[in-house]
Amino acid sequence: MFESNIFFQDFSGILTVVPYTLGLALLILILGILIGGILTLIDQYKIPFLFQVAAVCLSFLRGTPLLVQLYLAYYGMPKLILFFAGLLNFKFDPNQFDPVITVIVSYSICFSAFQSEIIRGAFMSVSYGQIEAAHSLGFSSVQTLRRIVIPQAIIEALPNFLNSYLTIIKSLSLAFMVSVVDILAKAKLESALNFRYLESFAAAAAVYWLLCAMLTVVFRRYEQNIRKKA
Amino acid sequence: MKMDFGYMIKILPGFISVLPLTLVVILCSGLFGFLLSVLVTGIRIKRVKIFSPLMELYISFTRSTPILLQMLLVYYGLPVVLSLIGININNWSGTLFAIATLVLHNGAFLSEILRPAYLAVDEGQKEAADSLGFTSFQKLTRIVFPQVLPVALPGLGNALIYLIQDTSILFIIGVVDIMGTANNLISNDFGSRQIDVFLTVALIYWAISYMADKFIKYFERKTARYHLENGLTR
């Protein structure tokens, strides 16, 4: 029925890909925050034309499933790069294109929609009176942003960023569709050897559960720490 | 790199014909998931012995594993578990497993929205209802529920959008919904028109999400009058 030795064998096999998954998710989170920050700035300063384009893009990113976006990137990106490489007389072989890059690009763009919402909320939490006070004290706009707004906004945004880190780790399970090996993909590969699907999926669930529980505890500690300092 | 819009329009009827299946899955799992989440929330709020910690465990599990993994666990695990108590579900279709997964997922997910919304209703209001001689059922339907609704609706709306997007993975257990049809089209074409096909899929999902969003916004406006912040007193 349920063989525990296979479960533990799969469990230790899956543990080997955990660092890779965590690193990939961290990279996606950072890129997502950067793109999301740019989107927020476009949204806040209402830059003409770019503002409307960003609104449509955000609506598309929120309205379509991640898996569909991933497939679009997987099939579209090599062709797009090939097109631009052709323009620039630059050699590019689509067959050697690493799908990890597809995953990183499409996930960063998809999650930037969520990050921009978080960043917007964080900036909103700093009252406008503080910005006026900084201006009246002779701070430049950059100084105001760097010394007054961002230190306060980060405390608001951080728990949400950490939350999306967990979401990204979970969403990476879809990356198997484009042959990138994360936790769930490793479980599938393990079960392909002996057809014990239930054991390997249970092992994957255990790994995810442990990982999320540990990260949640660490994040909560960290959040309490910075809230105390602020 | 060129789009074939004629081809995209040609394959559209195929997607429209499987749309009812997707909508049935969304409606069933949304409705039963909501009912399950009400039960789970009730158990957690009333702190029912034994069940309450079990529910905490269930919620923590659902929140920390990907929905794809949950679906695979239900698909491979549920027949094994139910065969232990003598129920045979080997002839269930993929759609039923998909609905079962989404119900279980949403039961936990929505409870995390409903519980804070319930706790947001001021304790004094419940005491006032008690002192006015409301029965506990009246208290729930006339005092608590109308106030929970406007607080919970934005969260429930988000959950609906997530539910719609989660249906995109159902093809993995063999449900021929929008994504399943897309994959069939691609294998018929020997994989030459993936971009056109997935762009069509993206547009269909975009339309469904957009309508769901408008629907929720309409409800939010309707229930805004129950919100104490903009009620009769101000």
Side-chain angles (χ1 to χ4, degrees), chain B residues 200-234:
Chain B
T200 317
V201 171
L203 290 176
I204 292 170
Y205 269 110
W206 197 2
I208 299 176
S209 304
Y210 184 79
M211 283 189 284
D213 199 39
K214 282 278 170 281
F215 176 69
I216 291 289
K217 289 272 152 57
Y218 170 78
F219 255 116
E220 274 178 33
R221 276 202 304 277
K222 280 256 162 188
T223 54
R225 68 195 173 95
Y226 296 127
H227 213 331
L228 278 189
E229 302 287 302
N230 47 21
L232 295 170
T233 48
R234 257 203 261 179

PDB file of all heavy atoms in Angstrom, chain B residues 200-234:
ATOM      1  N   THR B 200      -4.767  32.661 -27.490  1.00  0.00           N
ATOM      2  CA  THR B 200      -6.227  32.568 -27.423  1.00  0.00           C
ATOM      3  C   THR B 200      -6.670  32.172 -26.031  1.00  0.00           C
ATOM      4  O   THR B 200      -7.613  32.760 -25.471  1.00  0.00           O
ATOM      5  CB  THR B 200      -6.720  31.523 -28.447  1.00  0.00           C
ATOM      6  OG1 THR B 200      -6.018  31.689 -29.655  1.00  0.00           O
ATOM      7  CG2 THR B 200      -8.209  31.673 -28.689  1.00  0.00           C
ATOM      8  N   VAL B 201      -5.977  31.159 -25.461  1.00  0.00           N
ATOM      9  CA  VAL B 201      -6.313  30.711 -24.109  1.00  0.00           C
ATOM     10  C   VAL B 201      -6.183  31.871 -23.122  1.00  0.00           C
ATOM     11  O   VAL B 201      -7.058  32.108 -22.281  1.00  0.00           O
ATOM     12  CB  VAL B 201      -5.400  29.541 -23.684  1.00  0.00           C
ATOM     13  CG1 VAL B 201      -5.599  29.212 -22.221  1.00  0.00           C
ATOM     14  CG2 VAL B 201      -5.670  28.331 -24.527  1.00  0.00           C
ATOM     15  N   ALA B 202      -5.077  32.627 -23.257  1.00  0.00           N
ATOM     16  CA  ALA B 202      -4.840  33.747 -22.351  1.00  0.00           C
ATOM     17  C   ALA B 202      -5.975  34.759 -22.458  1.00  0.00           C
ATOM     18  O   ALA B 202      -6.477  35.261 -21.443  1.00  0.00           O
ATOM     19  CB  ALA B 202      -3.504  34.407 -22.669  1.00  0.00           C
ATOM     20  N   LEU B 203      -6.415  35.041 -23.700  1.00  0.00           N
ATOM     21  CA  LEU B 203      -7.479  36.026 -23.883  1.00  0.00           C
ATOM     22  C   LEU B 203      -8.791  35.537 -23.261  1.00  0.00           C
ATOM     23  O   LEU B 203      -9.529  36.321 -22.655  1.00  0.00           O
ATOM     24  CB  LEU B 203      -7.671  36.323 -25.376  1.00  0.00           C
ATOM     25  CG  LEU B 203      -6.518  37.095 -26.019  1.00  0.00           C
ATOM     26  CD1 LEU B 203      -6.747  37.256 -27.501  1.00  0.00           C
ATOM     27  CD2 LEU B 203      -6.363  38.459 -25.358  1.00  0.00           C
ATOM     28  N   ILE B 204      -9.066  34.223 -23.405  1.00  0.00           N
ATOM     29  CA  ILE B 204     -10.300  33.685 -22.815  1.00  0.00           C
ATOM     30  C   ILE B 204     -10.261  33.823 -21.293  1.00  0.00           C
ATOM     31  O   ILE B 204     -11.217  34.290 -20.667  1.00  0.00           O
ATOM     32  CB  ILE B 204     -10.489  32.205 -23.218  1.00  0.00           C
ATOM     33  CG1 ILE B 204     -10.775  32.114 -24.718  1.00  0.00           C
ATOM     34  CG2 ILE B 204     -11.628  31.577 -22.441  1.00  0.00           C
ATOM     35  CD1 ILE B 204     -10.745  30.717 -25.256  1.00  0.00           C
ATOM     36  N   TYR B 205      -9.114  33.449 -20.707  1.00  0.00           N
ATOM     37  CA  TYR B 205      -9.005  33.559 -19.243  1.00  0.00           C
ATOM     38  C   TYR B 205      -9.096  35.015 -18.804  1.00  0.00           C
ATOM     39  O   TYR B 205      -9.711  35.326 -17.767  1.00  0.00           O
ATOM     40  CB  TYR B 205      -7.686  32.953 -18.753  1.00  0.00           C
ATOM     41  CG  TYR B 205      -7.817  31.497 -18.403  1.00  0.00           C
ATOM     42  CD1 TYR B 205      -7.226  30.520 -19.174  1.00  0.00           C
ATOM     43  CD2 TYR B 205      -8.554  31.111 -17.286  1.00  0.00           C
ATOM     44  CE1 TYR B 205      -7.352  29.181 -18.857  1.00  0.00           C
ATOM     45  CE2 TYR B 205      -8.687  29.773 -16.967  1.00  0.00           C
ATOM     46  CZ  TYR B 205      -8.080  28.826 -17.752  1.00  0.00           C
ATOM     47  OH  TYR B 205      -8.218  27.516 -17.440  1.00  0.00           O
ATOM     48  N   TRP B 206      -8.494  35.883 -19.586  1.00  0.00           N
ATOM     49  CA  TRP B 206      -8.537  37.319 -19.257  1.00  0.00           C
ATOM     50  C   TRP B 206      -9.992  37.792 -19.215  1.00  0.00           C
ATOM     51  O   TRP B 206     -10.411  38.491 -18.287  1.00  0.00           O
ATOM     52  CB  TRP B 206      -7.751  38.095 -20.313  1.00  0.00           C
ATOM     53  CG  TRP B 206      -7.366  39.476 -19.929  1.00  0.00           C
ATOM     54  CD1 TRP B 206      -7.614  40.099 -18.731  1.00  0.00           C
ATOM     55  CD2 TRP B 206      -6.653  40.415 -20.732  1.00  0.00           C
ATOM     56  NE1 TRP B 206      -7.099  41.365 -18.756  1.00  0.00           N
ATOM     57  CE2 TRP B 206      -6.505  41.586 -19.971  1.00  0.00           C
ATOM     58  CE3 TRP B 206      -6.129  40.380 -22.023  1.00  0.00           C
ATOM     59  CZ2 TRP B 206      -5.855  42.712 -20.463  1.00  0.00           C
ATOM     60  CZ3 TRP B 206      -5.469  41.500 -22.508  1.00  0.00           C
ATOM     61  CH2 TRP B 206      -5.332  42.649 -21.727  1.00  0.00           C
ATOM     62  N   ALA B 207     -10.777  37.350 -20.228  1.00  0.00           N
ATOM     63  CA  ALA B 207     -12.182  37.763 -20.289  1.00  0.00           C
ATOM     64  C   ALA B 207     -12.949  37.240 -19.076  1.00  0.00           C
ATOM     65  O   ALA B 207     -13.716  37.980 -18.440  1.00  0.00           O
ATOM     66  CB  ALA B 207     -12.817  37.257 -21.580  1.00  0.00           C
ATOM     67  N   ILE B 208     -12.724  35.949 -18.730  1.00  0.00           N
ATOM     68  CA  ILE B 208     -13.452  35.372 -17.590  1.00  0.00           C
ATOM     69  C   ILE B 208     -13.082  36.119 -16.303  1.00  0.00           C
ATOM     70  O   ILE B 208     -13.952  36.503 -15.511  1.00  0.00           O
ATOM     71  CB  ILE B 208     -13.123  33.865 -17.432  1.00  0.00           C
ATOM     72  CG1 ILE B 208     -13.531  33.093 -18.679  1.00  0.00           C
ATOM     73  CG2 ILE B 208     -13.851  33.293 -16.227  1.00  0.00           C
ATOM     74  CD1 ILE B 208     -13.143  31.636 -18.634  1.00  0.00           C
ATOM     75  N   SER B 209     -11.779  36.357 -16.101  1.00  0.00           N
ATOM     76  CA  SER B 209     -11.339  37.036 -14.870  1.00  0.00           C
ATOM     77  C   SER B 209     -11.912  38.443 -14.807  1.00  0.00           C
ATOM     78  O   SER B 209     -12.330  38.903 -13.735  1.00  0.00           O
ATOM     79  CB  SER B 209      -9.826  37.119 -14.816  1.00  0.00           C
ATOM     80  OG  SER B 209      -9.255  35.859 -14.925  1.00  0.00           O
ATOM     81  N   TYR B 210     -11.928  39.110 -15.961  1.00  0.00           N
ATOM     82  CA  TYR B 210     -12.433  40.486 -16.010  1.00  0.00           C
ATOM     83  C   TYR B 210     -13.896  40.527 -15.600  1.00  0.00           C
ATOM     84  O   TYR B 210     -14.307  41.355 -14.771  1.00  0.00           O
ATOM     85  CB  TYR B 210     -12.259  41.035 -17.424  1.00  0.00           C
ATOM     86  CG  TYR B 210     -12.647  42.480 -17.577  1.00  0.00           C
ATOM     87  CD1 TYR B 210     -11.778  43.484 -17.158  1.00  0.00           C
ATOM     88  CD2 TYR B 210     -13.875  42.836 -18.125  1.00  0.00           C
ATOM     89  CE1 TYR B 210     -12.130  44.812 -17.291  1.00  0.00           C
ATOM     90  CE2 TYR B 210     -14.232  44.157 -18.256  1.00  0.00           C
ATOM     91  CZ  TYR B 210     -13.357  45.144 -17.839  1.00  0.00           C
ATOM     92  OH  TYR B 210     -13.713  46.448 -17.953  1.00  0.00           O
ATOM     93  N   MET B 211     -14.683  39.565 -16.127  1.00  0.00           N
ATOM     94  CA  MET B 211     -16.109  39.546 -15.795  1.00  0.00           C
ATOM     95  C   MET B 211     -16.316  39.219 -14.319  1.00  0.00           C
ATOM     96  O   MET B 211     -17.159  39.821 -13.652  1.00  0.00           O
ATOM     97  CB  MET B 211     -16.839  38.554 -16.695  1.00  0.00           C
ATOM     98  CG  MET B 211     -17.054  39.108 -18.093  1.00  0.00           C
ATOM     99  SD  MET B 211     -18.116  38.093 -19.081  1.00  0.00           S
ATOM    100  CE  MET B 211     -17.036  36.770 -19.512  1.00  0.00           C
ATOM    101  N   ALA B 212     -15.520  38.261 -13.824  1.00  0.00           N
ATOM    102  CA  ALA B 212     -15.635  37.899 -12.410  1.00  0.00           C
ATOM    103  C   ALA B 212     -15.315  39.106 -11.528  1.00  0.00           C
ATOM    104  O   ALA B 212     -15.982  39.363 -10.521  1.00  0.00           O
ATOM    105  CB  ALA B 212     -14.693  36.743 -12.092  1.00  0.00           C
ATOM    106  N   ASP B 213     -14.306  39.866 -11.947  1.00  0.00           N
ATOM    107  CA  ASP B 213     -13.895  41.041 -11.187  1.00  0.00           C
ATOM    108  C   ASP B 213     -15.022  42.079 -11.149  1.00  0.00           C
ATOM    109  O   ASP B 213     -15.345  42.629 -10.091  1.00  0.00           O
ATOM    110  CB  ASP B 213     -12.645  41.638 -11.847  1.00  0.00           C
ATOM    111  CG  ASP B 213     -11.904  42.549 -10.903  1.00  0.00           C
ATOM    112  OD1 ASP B 213     -11.834  42.201  -9.714  1.00  0.00           O
ATOM    113  OD2 ASP B 213     -11.418  43.595 -11.351  1.00  0.00           O
ATOM    114  N   LYS B 214     -15.647  42.307 -12.307  1.00  0.00           N
ATOM    115  CA  LYS B 214     -16.759  43.269 -12.379  1.00  0.00           C
ATOM    116  C   LYS B 214     -17.923  42.813 -11.488  1.00  0.00           C
ATOM    117  O   LYS B 214     -18.560  43.613 -10.800  1.00  0.00           O
ATOM    118  CB  LYS B 214     -17.235  43.407 -13.833  1.00  0.00           C
ATOM    119  CG  LYS B 214     -16.348  44.282 -14.671  1.00  0.00           C
ATOM    120  CD  LYS B 214     -16.687  45.761 -14.453  1.00  0.00           C
ATOM    121  CE  LYS B 214     -15.647  46.664 -15.092  1.00  0.00           C
ATOM    122  NZ  LYS B 214     -14.420  46.785 -14.294  1.00  0.00           N
ATOM    123  N   PHE B 215     -18.194  41.509 -11.526  1.00  0.00           N
ATOM    124  CA  PHE B 215     -19.266  40.919 -10.731  1.00  0.00           C
ATOM    125  C   PHE B 215     -19.040  41.171  -9.243  1.00  0.00           C
ATOM    126  O   PHE B 215     -19.938  41.597  -8.506  1.00  0.00           O
ATOM    127  CB  PHE B 215     -19.296  39.414 -11.050  1.00  0.00           C
ATOM    128  CG  PHE B 215     -20.278  38.620 -10.249  1.00  0.00           C
ATOM    129  CD1 PHE B 215     -21.637  38.772 -10.438  1.00  0.00           C
ATOM    130  CD2 PHE B 215     -19.828  37.694  -9.319  1.00  0.00           C
ATOM    131  CE1 PHE B 215     -22.536  38.026  -9.704  1.00  0.00           C
ATOM    132  CE2 PHE B 215     -20.728  36.945  -8.583  1.00  0.00           C
ATOM    133  CZ  PHE B 215     -22.086  37.114  -8.775  1.00  0.00           C
ATOM    134  N   ILE B 216     -17.785  40.952  -8.805  1.00  0.00           N
ATOM    135  CA  ILE B 216     -17.450  41.147  -7.397  1.00  0.00           C
ATOM    136  C   ILE B 216     -17.566  42.627  -7.022  1.00  0.00           C
ATOM    137  O   ILE B 216     -18.094  42.978  -5.961  1.00  0.00           O
ATOM    138  CB  ILE B 216     -16.020  40.624  -7.117  1.00  0.00           C
ATOM    139  CG1 ILE B 216     -15.978  39.105  -7.217  1.00  0.00           C
ATOM    140  CG2 ILE B 216     -15.538  41.077  -5.758  1.00  0.00           C
ATOM    141  CD1 ILE B 216     -16.679  38.388  -6.102  1.00  0.00           C
ATOM    142  N   LYS B 217     -17.090  43.500  -7.919  1.00  0.00           N
ATOM    143  CA  LYS B 217     -17.152  44.944  -7.644  1.00  0.00           C
ATOM    144  C   LYS B 217     -18.597  45.393  -7.463  1.00  0.00           C
ATOM    145  O   LYS B 217     -18.905  46.214  -6.605  1.00  0.00           O
ATOM    146  CB  LYS B 217     -16.499  45.732  -8.794  1.00  0.00           C
ATOM    147  CG  LYS B 217     -15.000  45.597  -8.856  1.00  0.00           C
ATOM    148  CD  LYS B 217     -14.317  46.654  -7.994  1.00  0.00           C
ATOM    149  CE  LYS B 217     -12.972  46.188  -7.490  1.00  0.00           C
ATOM    150  NZ  LYS B 217     -12.052  45.815  -8.552  1.00  0.00           N
ATOM    151  N   TYR B 218     -19.504  44.816  -8.285  1.00  0.00           N
ATOM    152  CA  TYR B 218     -20.926  45.126  -8.191  1.00  0.00           C
ATOM    153  C   TYR B 218     -21.453  44.739  -6.811  1.00  0.00           C
ATOM    154  O   TYR B 218     -22.143  45.517  -6.137  1.00  0.00           O
ATOM    155  CB  TYR B 218     -21.667  44.384  -9.305  1.00  0.00           C
ATOM    156  CG  TYR B 218     -23.171  44.425  -9.205  1.00  0.00           C
ATOM    157  CD1 TYR B 218     -23.879  45.554  -9.599  1.00  0.00           C
ATOM    158  CD2 TYR B 218     -23.879  43.332  -8.727  1.00  0.00           C
ATOM    159  CE1 TYR B 218     -25.258  45.598  -9.515  1.00  0.00           C
ATOM    160  CE2 TYR B 218     -25.254  43.362  -8.634  1.00  0.00           C
ATOM    161  CZ  TYR B 218     -25.941  44.498  -9.030  1.00  0.00           C
ATOM    162  OH  TYR B 218     -27.308  44.526  -8.922  1.00  0.00           O
ATOM    163  N   PHE B 219     -21.075  43.543  -6.360  1.00  0.00           N
ATOM    164  CA  PHE B 219     -21.502  43.080  -5.038  1.00  0.00           C
ATOM    165  C   PHE B 219     -20.944  43.967  -3.930  1.00  0.00           C
ATOM    166  O   PHE B 219     -21.621  44.256  -2.951  1.00  0.00           O
ATOM    167  CB  PHE B 219     -21.041  41.639  -4.809  1.00  0.00           C
ATOM    168  CG  PHE B 219     -22.145  40.664  -4.928  1.00  0.00           C
ATOM    169  CD1 PHE B 219     -22.130  39.703  -5.930  1.00  0.00           C
ATOM    170  CD2 PHE B 219     -23.220  40.702  -4.064  1.00  0.00           C
ATOM    171  CE1 PHE B 219     -23.163  38.807  -6.059  1.00  0.00           C
ATOM    172  CE2 PHE B 219     -24.253  39.801  -4.179  1.00  0.00           C
ATOM    173  CZ  PHE B 219     -24.228  38.847  -5.187  1.00  0.00           C
ATOM    174  N   GLU B 220     -19.681  44.389  -4.128  1.00  0.00           N
ATOM    175  CA  GLU B 220     -19.052  45.232  -3.108  1.00  0.00           C
ATOM    176  C   GLU B 220     -19.826  46.525  -2.949  1.00  0.00           C
ATOM    177  O   GLU B 220     -20.033  47.009  -1.838  1.00  0.00           O
ATOM    178  CB  GLU B 220     -17.599  45.528  -3.490  1.00  0.00           C
ATOM    179  CG  GLU B 220     -16.646  44.455  -3.023  1.00  0.00           C
ATOM    180  CD  GLU B 220     -15.223  44.743  -3.458  1.00  0.00           C
ATOM    181  OE1 GLU B 220     -14.851  45.919  -3.530  1.00  0.00           O
ATOM    182  OE2 GLU B 220     -14.504  43.776  -3.732  1.00  0.00           O
ATOM    183  N   ARG B 221     -20.279  47.099  -4.081  1.00  0.00           N
ATOM    184  CA  ARG B 221     -21.066  48.334  -3.993  1.00  0.00           C
ATOM    185  C   ARG B 221     -22.383  48.083  -3.288  1.00  0.00           C
ATOM    186  O   ARG B 221     -22.858  48.881  -2.503  1.00  0.00           O
ATOM    187  CB  ARG B 221     -21.318  48.884  -5.394  1.00  0.00           C
ATOM    188  CG  ARG B 221     -20.188  49.729  -5.943  1.00  0.00           C
ATOM    189  CD  ARG B 221     -20.681  50.641  -7.035  1.00  0.00           C
ATOM    190  NE  ARG B 221     -21.329  49.894  -8.110  1.00  0.00           N
ATOM    191  CZ  ARG B 221     -20.662  49.306  -9.105  1.00  0.00           C
ATOM    192  NH1 ARG B 221     -19.355  49.391  -9.139  1.00  0.00           N
ATOM    193  NH2 ARG B 221     -21.301  48.651 -10.045  1.00  0.00           N
ATOM    194  N   LYS B 222     -23.000  46.904  -3.588  1.00  0.00           N
ATOM    195  CA  LYS B 222     -24.292  46.569  -2.995  1.00  0.00           C
ATOM    196  C   LYS B 222     -24.201  46.448  -1.475  1.00  0.00           C
ATOM    197  O   LYS B 222     -25.110  46.843  -0.753  1.00  0.00           O
ATOM    198  CB  LYS B 222     -24.794  45.229  -3.574  1.00  0.00           C
ATOM    199  CG  LYS B 222     -25.421  45.365  -4.914  1.00  0.00           C
ATOM    200  CD  LYS B 222     -26.918  45.288  -4.788  1.00  0.00           C
ATOM    201  CE  LYS B 222     -27.562  45.858  -6.044  1.00  0.00           C
ATOM    202  NZ  LYS B 222     -28.995  45.969  -5.906  1.00  0.00           N
ATOM    203  N   THR B 223     -23.106  45.825  -1.008  1.00  0.00           N
ATOM    204  CA  THR B 223     -23.010  45.540   0.423  1.00  0.00           C
ATOM    205  C   THR B 223     -22.329  46.670   1.187  1.00  0.00           C
ATOM    206  O   THR B 223     -22.220  46.597   2.402  1.00  0.00           O
ATOM    207  CB  THR B 223     -22.223  44.242   0.670  1.00  0.00           C
ATOM    208  OG1 THR B 223     -20.976  44.355   0.007  1.00  0.00           O
ATOM    209  CG2 THR B 223     -22.973  43.044   0.150  1.00  0.00           C
ATOM    210  N   ALA B 224     -21.889  47.703   0.470  1.00  0.00           N
ATOM    211  CA  ALA B 224     -21.143  48.771   1.144  1.00  0.00           C
ATOM    212  C   ALA B 224     -21.997  49.435   2.227  1.00  0.00           C
ATOM    213  O   ALA B 224     -21.478  49.914   3.227  1.00  0.00           O
ATOM    214  CB  ALA B 224     -20.688  49.799   0.125  1.00  0.00           C
ATOM    215  N   ARG B 225     -23.324  49.408   2.053  1.00  0.00           N
ATOM    216  CA  ARG B 225     -24.172  50.103   3.026  1.00  0.00           C
ATOM    217  C   ARG B 225     -24.196  49.406   4.385  1.00  0.00           C
ATOM    218  O   ARG B 225     -24.589  50.002   5.373  1.00  0.00           O
ATOM    219  CB  ARG B 225     -25.580  50.272   2.482  1.00  0.00           C
ATOM    220  CG  ARG B 225     -26.345  48.982   2.346  1.00  0.00           C
ATOM    221  CD  ARG B 225     -27.559  49.179   1.469  1.00  0.00           C
ATOM    222  NE  ARG B 225     -28.214  47.929   1.190  1.00  0.00           N
ATOM    223  CZ  ARG B 225     -29.241  47.467   1.894  1.00  0.00           C
ATOM    224  NH1 ARG B 225     -29.721  48.156   2.898  1.00  0.00           N
ATOM    225  NH2 ARG B 225     -29.787  46.308   1.587  1.00  0.00           N
ATOM    226  N   TYR B 226     -23.797  48.107   4.407  1.00  0.00           N
ATOM    227  CA  TYR B 226     -23.738  47.425   5.698  1.00  0.00           C
ATOM    228  C   TYR B 226     -22.490  47.808   6.483  1.00  0.00           C
ATOM    229  O   TYR B 226     -22.368  47.498   7.656  1.00  0.00           O
ATOM    230  CB  TYR B 226     -23.733  45.907   5.519  1.00  0.00           C
ATOM    231  CG  TYR B 226     -24.989  45.360   4.908  1.00  0.00           C
ATOM    232  CD1 TYR B 226     -24.938  44.536   3.790  1.00  0.00           C
ATOM    233  CD2 TYR B 226     -26.223  45.654   5.465  1.00  0.00           C
ATOM    234  CE1 TYR B 226     -26.091  44.028   3.232  1.00  0.00           C
ATOM    235  CE2 TYR B 226     -27.377  45.144   4.905  1.00  0.00           C
ATOM    236  CZ  TYR B 226     -27.302  44.336   3.792  1.00  0.00           C
ATOM    237  OH  TYR B 226     -28.436  43.837   3.252  1.00  0.00           O
ATOM    238  N   HIS B 227     -21.547  48.434   5.771  1.00  0.00           N
ATOM    239  CA  HIS B 227     -20.275  48.739   6.407  1.00  0.00           C
ATOM    240  C   HIS B 227     -20.462  49.893   7.389  1.00  0.00           C
ATOM    241  O   HIS B 227     -20.980  50.938   7.023  1.00  0.00           O
ATOM    242  CB  HIS B 227     -19.261  49.132   5.329  1.00  0.00           C
ATOM    243  CG  HIS B 227     -17.877  48.704   5.673  1.00  0.00           C
ATOM    244  ND1 HIS B 227     -17.456  48.583   6.964  1.00  0.00           N
ATOM    245  CD2 HIS B 227     -16.821  48.370   4.891  1.00  0.00           C
ATOM    246  CE1 HIS B 227     -16.198  48.187   6.960  1.00  0.00           C
ATOM    247  NE2 HIS B 227     -15.795  48.046   5.716  1.00  0.00           N
ATOM    248  N   LEU B 228     -20.036  49.707   8.630  1.00  0.00           N
ATOM    249  CA  LEU B 228     -20.287  50.721   9.654  1.00  0.00           C
ATOM    250  C   LEU B 228     -19.591  52.038   9.318  1.00  0.00           C
ATOM    251  O   LEU B 228     -20.076  53.102   9.637  1.00  0.00           O
ATOM    252  CB  LEU B 228     -19.791  50.222  11.005  1.00  0.00           C
ATOM    253  CG  LEU B 228     -20.740  49.295  11.737  1.00  0.00           C
ATOM    254  CD1 LEU B 228     -20.242  49.047  13.122  1.00  0.00           C
ATOM    255  CD2 LEU B 228     -22.135  49.890  11.785  1.00  0.00           C
ATOM    256  N   GLU B 229     -18.442  51.949   8.624  1.00  0.00           N
ATOM    257  CA  GLU B 229     -17.666  53.153   8.342  1.00  0.00           C
ATOM    258  C   GLU B 229     -18.454  54.157   7.494  1.00  0.00           C
ATOM    259  O   GLU B 229     -18.267  55.348   7.611  1.00  0.00           O
ATOM    260  CB  GLU B 229     -16.374  52.779   7.594  1.00  0.00           C
ATOM    261  CG  GLU B 229     -15.505  51.812   8.346  1.00  0.00           C
ATOM    262  CD  GLU B 229     -14.815  52.465   9.520  1.00  0.00           C
ATOM    263  OE1 GLU B 229     -14.091  53.432   9.304  1.00  0.00           O
ATOM    264  OE2 GLU B 229     -15.031  52.009  10.656  1.00  0.00           O
ATOM    265  N   ASN B 230     -19.323  53.631   6.587  1.00  0.00           N
ATOM    266  CA  ASN B 230     -20.116  54.558   5.788  1.00  0.00           C
ATOM    267  C   ASN B 230     -21.604  54.263   5.939  1.00  0.00           C
ATOM    268  O   ASN B 230     -22.356  54.243   4.999  1.00  0.00           O
ATOM    269  CB  ASN B 230     -19.698  54.539   4.321  1.00  0.00           C
ATOM    270  CG  ASN B 230     -19.561  53.125   3.817  1.00  0.00           C
ATOM    271  OD1 ASN B 230     -20.137  52.215   4.406  1.00  0.00           O
ATOM    272  ND2 ASN B 230     -18.834  52.941   2.745  1.00  0.00           N
ATOM    273  N   GLY B 231     -22.019  54.011   7.147  1.00  0.00           N
ATOM    274  CA  GLY B 231     -23.409  53.668   7.424  1.00  0.00           C
ATOM    275  C   GLY B 231     -24.266  54.905   7.604  1.00  0.00           C
ATOM    276  O   GLY B 231     -23.956  55.985   7.103  1.00  0.00           O
ATOM    277  N   LEU B 232     -25.357  54.731   8.359  1.00  0.00           N
ATOM    278  CA  LEU B 232     -26.322  55.816   8.510  1.00  0.00           C
ATOM    279  C   LEU B 232     -25.793  56.928   9.398  1.00  0.00           C
ATOM    280  O   LEU B 232     -26.220  58.076   9.283  1.00  0.00           O
ATOM    281  CB  LEU B 232     -27.611  55.266   9.129  1.00  0.00           C
ATOM    282  CG  LEU B 232     -28.360  54.264   8.262  1.00  0.00           C
ATOM    283  CD1 LEU B 232     -29.456  53.617   9.073  1.00  0.00           C
ATOM    284  CD2 LEU B 232     -28.955  54.967   7.054  1.00  0.00           C
ATOM    285  N   THR B 233     -24.873  56.568  10.281  1.00  0.00           N
ATOM    286  CA  THR B 233     -24.474  57.541  11.293  1.00  0.00           C
ATOM    287  C   THR B 233     -23.537  58.602  10.759  1.00  0.00           C
ATOM    288  O   THR B 233     -23.364  59.628  11.395  1.00  0.00           O
ATOM    289  CB  THR B 233     -23.792  56.826  12.473  1.00  0.00           C
ATOM    290  OG1 THR B 233     -22.819  55.941  11.944  1.00  0.00           O
ATOM    291  CG2 THR B 233     -24.794  56.066  13.292  1.00  0.00           C
ATOM    292  N   ARG B 234     -22.894  58.339   9.611  1.00  0.00           N
ATOM    293  CA  ARG B 234     -21.929  59.327   9.133  1.00  0.00           C
ATOM    294  C   ARG B 234     -22.296  59.869   7.784  1.00  0.00           C
ATOM    295  O   ARG B 234     -22.740  59.118   6.939  1.00  0.00           O
ATOM    296  CB  ARG B 234     -20.522  58.711   9.081  1.00  0.00           C
ATOM    297  CG  ARG B 234     -19.694  59.195  10.256  1.00  0.00           C
ATOM    298  CD  ARG B 234     -18.233  59.064   9.926  1.00  0.00           C
ATOM    299  NE  ARG B 234     -17.709  57.840  10.538  1.00  0.00           N
ATOM    300  CZ  ARG B 234     -16.451  57.463  10.401  1.00  0.00           C
ATOM    301  NH1 ARG B 234     -15.614  58.169   9.684  1.00  0.00           N
ATOM    302  NH2 ARG B 234     -16.033  56.369  10.962  1.00  0.00           N
TER     303      ARG B 234
END
